[in-house]
Amino acid sequence: MLDILLLLLAAFAAGVVNTIAGGGTFLTFPALVFTGMPPVLANATSAVAVFPGYLGGALGFRDEIARLDRRALIRMTVTALSGGLAGAGLLLVSSDAAFAAVVPFLLIGATAVFVWGDRLRAWLARSSRGIAAYGAPGLFLVALYGGYFNGGLGIVLLALFTLWGMADIHQMNGLKNALSFAVSAISVTVFAVAGLVAWPQAVAMMVAATVGGYAGAPLSRILPRTAVRGAIAVAGFGTGAVFLWRLVV
């Protein structure tokens, strides 16, 4: 019962913080590992747990997404699906030992991008380092990362969009949710077919995350964004440090 309660609370909190600031995976993945689930199974189950929120976010920005060039949007979606498929396939062939060796660095790196993402995007916007808009190679690599480990995917996508020269944050958020949904859809499908999802935990956490996402809207008007980001940073860096300690010891 304590494990179930922990997973429900983590998923609810993930739904809240995804609505307010993003980074919900930094809560669901550690909670699943803490209950004794192997890292690879926990990663796949966590991806399923936060999956529905991306579709809701994309629908919320459908007007902004509709203003994008249709052909470019199709190319980006195909690229995101390809990268997500490659990343999910990479996870399937990863042993728990190999994934556990990589995950501390993924957690710490993704948390760093999450914490300093606004500054990174501002620096990229001021610099002259823009690259061709809607470029496939960069998007494929980001989608591959998202298919392998979902943590911080949205923040990394926003940084990529800034490199592309995009400036409309609402359109960027809409595209971020749409591509995150594509990456998650293909990776979740692969995980499900491969039997890599703990469905009782995943379904319960999906419900809790959806409720948390709904509750996040009014809470976003009360809770300071910096406080939420600070809590996620502590969770992300702390979990990464624990995994790194276990790896060294």
Side-chain angles (χ1 to χ4, degrees), residues 120-135 138-139 142 156-167 172:
L120 174 62
R121 292 195 298 274
W123 178 79
L124 290 172
R126 291 194 304 269
S127 70
S128 57
R129 291 168 173 78
I131 59 177
Y134 314 134
L139 178 57
V142 172
V156 179
L157 280 171
L158 288 176
L160 177 66
F161 299 160
T162 302
L163 276 174
W164 285 350
M166 295 181 69
M172 292 166 71

Side-chain angles (χ1 to χ4, degrees), residues 14 17 46 110 138 181 227-228:
V17 301
S46 175
F181 177 74
V228 176

Side-chain angles (χ1 to χ4, degrees), residues 41 202 209:
L41 183 62

Side-chain angles (χ1 to χ4, degrees), residues 156-249:
V156 179
L157 280 171
L158 288 176
L160 177 66
F161 299 160
T162 302
L163 276 174
W164 285 350
M166 295 181 69
D168 185 338
I169 188 60
H170 299 301
Q171 191 173 64
M172 292 166 71
N173 270 324
L175 183 59
K176 174 202 72 176
N177 280 289
L179 295 182
S180 294
F181 177 74
V183 171
S184 296
I186 191 67
S187 59
V188 164
T189 300
V190 171
F191 299 152
V193 171
L196 204 60
V197 178
W199 284 108
Q201 293 92 327
V203 171
M205 293 176 77
M206 285 172 67
V207 174
T210 302
V211 175
Y214 182 79
L219 286 175
S220 66
R221 303 183 183 95
I222 302 172
L223 297 175
R225 184 181 178 89
T226 52
V228 176
R229 293 178 72 89
I232 298 303
V234 170
F237 285 129
T239 305
V242 170
F243 272 93
L244 188 60
W245 174 259
R246 290 170 60 181
L247 179 64
V248 173
V249 175

Side-chain angles (χ1 to χ4, degrees), residues 23 25-26 110 113-114 145 149-157:
T25 303
F26 298 138
V113 174
F114 173 79
Y145 162 80
F149 182 69
N150 192 260
L153 173 61
I155 307 300
V156 179
L157 280 171

Side-chain angles (χ1 to χ4, degrees), residues 12-30:
F12 177 84
V16 171
V17 301
N18 274 338
T19 298
I20 299 173
T25 303
F26 298 138
L27 300 176
T28 52
F29 172 70

Side-chain angles (χ1 to χ4, degrees), residues 24-53:
T25 303
F26 298 138
L27 300 176
T28 52
F29 172 70
L32 286 163
V33 173
F34 182 80
T35 60
M37 192 174 292
V40 170
L41 183 62
N43 184 54
T45 303
S46 175
V48 174
V50 300
F51 170 61

Side-chain angles (χ1 to χ4, degrees), residues 9 14 55 68 97 110 129 234 238:
L9 288 175
L55 178 59
L68 290 165
R129 291 168 173 78
V234 170

